[in-house]
Amino acid sequence: MNLTFTDRVALVTGAGRGIGKAIAEELAREGVKVICVSKSESSCGGAAEAIRASGGNAVARAVDVSDGAAVAQAAEELLKEHGKIDILVNNAGITRDTLLMRMKDEDWHDVIRTNLDSCFYWTRALTTAMGRNRWGRVINISSVVGQMGNAGQANYAAAKAGMLGFTKTVAREFAKRGITANAVCPGFIETDMTSVLDEKTKEVIVQQVPLRRLGKVEDISRLVTYLSSEESGYITGQTFTVDGGMVM
Ligand code: NAP
């Protein structure tokens, strides 16, 4: 299926590495101008440079997505610079795993701020301009952990579950302005985030996956690219699980 992207601009958070980088690369291959956001300049800068080197159109912007004032300022400047932002992919995320009894306030707050507050900041900052153009796509990268919970991840599960309710609300509030909002819940995907797991843990996880492998970043980026396209215009408020069949 050939996807349609007419002169679109996308902003992808957490585009420096892993899933976000794959999303930025795939959107760029489809002819979308991509603004790569990550925490460190070198990370998003490297991702944007790699896209340009392979013929795509990308710029980088280092923003701490957990900082509301920084997001508001970056959004305003980027809208001025690029004229519009049609596609927002809220993908930046962190983990601070530990059992609830040992979880410190900062473990809780860091994860909620980075994974959930960031979606609120970027979506609030960009949907007004999308609405003026009567076209927009908001895609939030949640997790199967938000659907099923996971021991040692109370903070992360709460943030990811929060993203699902947030997505449905954005879908309802902005439908009349031509903006769709959907969430994607990856299972275990091979990235830096999961590289900390030892081989034994990975083996246990794979045994719970009917398709018997960890996911690849492309498994997620392909769906996000479709949800960003013209062709997905009748899909909104949905949660898509991409996990090899783990959650059914
Ligand atoms: P990753 O490889 O660890 O990359 C995370 C990205 O988020 C990096 O580019 C990082 O920026 C950025 N980031 C983190 N904190 C930030 C902040 N405060 N401000 C701006 N950027 C920030 O992660 P991943 O595995 O690709 O995961 C991407 C998303 O998918 C996350 O939301 C994660 O929760 C979700 N997810 C992943 C899996 C999985 O198995 N990997 C499963 C389910 C859901 P720098 O590069 O500058 O450090």
Side-chain angles (χ1 to χ4, degrees):
M1 181 187 200
N2 285 331
L3 297 176
T4 315
F5 291 93
T6 37
D7 189 29
R8 297 297 177 202
V9 182
L11 186 146
V12 182
T13 71
R17 293 182 278 133
I19 295 171
K21 185 163 183 264
I23 294 169
E25 287 171 348
E26 193 163 330
L27 287 173
R29 275 198 297 276
E30 292 286 340
V32 174
K33 184 205 263 191
V34 184
I35 302 164
C36 298
V37 169
S38 79
K39 193 165 187 181
S40 87
E41 196 94 50
S42 61
S43 176
C44 55
E49 206 174 304
I51 290 174
R52 289 195 298 271
S54 50
N57 190 352
V59 296
R61 176 80 186 228
V63 185
D64 179 352
V65 299
S66 68
D67 177 342
V71 170
Q73 190 185 336
E76 194 185 325
E77 288 171 11
L78 288 165
L79 278 171
K80 260 193 207 130
E81 251 166 68
H82 301 283
K84 60 174 190 162
I85 294 170
D86 307 292
I87 301 159
L88 166 64
V89 184
N90 285 308
N91 163 82
I94 57 166
T95 50
R96 295 281 183 272
D97 299 351
T98 189
L99 291 173
L100 186 62
M101 281 174 65
R102 291 193 209 114
M103 194 169 281
K104 298 194 179 70
D105 286 7
E106 72 206 64
D107 297 327
W108 176 267
H109 290 301
D110 283 356
V111 168
I112 300 290
R113 284 192 190 116
T114 305
N115 298 15
L116 181 59
D117 293 4
S118 60
C119 297
F120 161 61
Y121 297 142
W122 281 111
T123 308
R124 183 180 58 177
L126 297 181
T127 39
T128 306
M130 285 179 193
R132 254 184 248 121
N133 298 332
R134 290 282 181 271
W135 201 94
R137 299 279 185 266
V138 178
I139 298 145
N140 295 323
I141 309 300
S142 173
S143 169
V144 288
V145 170
Q147 297 176 297
M148 51 191 262
N150 196 21
Q153 293 198 301
N155 47 3
Y156 186 79
K160 294 300 186 183
M163 287 173 82
L164 302 182
F166 177 72
T167 303
K168 290 173 200 285
T169 302
V170 172
R172 288 189 189 279
E173 285 192 16
F174 290 96
K176 56 184 174 298
R177 307 223 178 124
I179 301 170
T180 65
N182 292 289
V184 175
C185 291
F188 287 89
I189 311 297
E190 289 180 281
T191 68
D192 289 353
M193 192 175 266
T194 46
S195 66
V196 294
L197 302 172
D198 58 51
E199 283 311 311
K200 203 171 158 227
T201 311
K202 280 188 190 167
E203 200 33 55
V204 171
I205 292 167
V206 167
Q207 290 310 313
Q208 295 162 25
V209 178
L211 287 175
R212 288 288 186 271
R213 65 169 175 88
L214 296 187
K216 297 183 190 319
V217 290
E218 296 77 21
D219 293 320
I220 307 304
S221 64
R222 276 193 288 263
L223 174 60
V224 173
T225 302
Y226 173 68
L227 291 174
S228 304
S229 72
E230 209 66 54
E231 281 72 15
S232 71
Y234 198 56
I235 302 171
T236 197
Q238 302 305 306
T239 301
F240 296 93
T241 306
V242 183
D243 67 346
M246 207 166 49
V247 177
M248 289 193 191

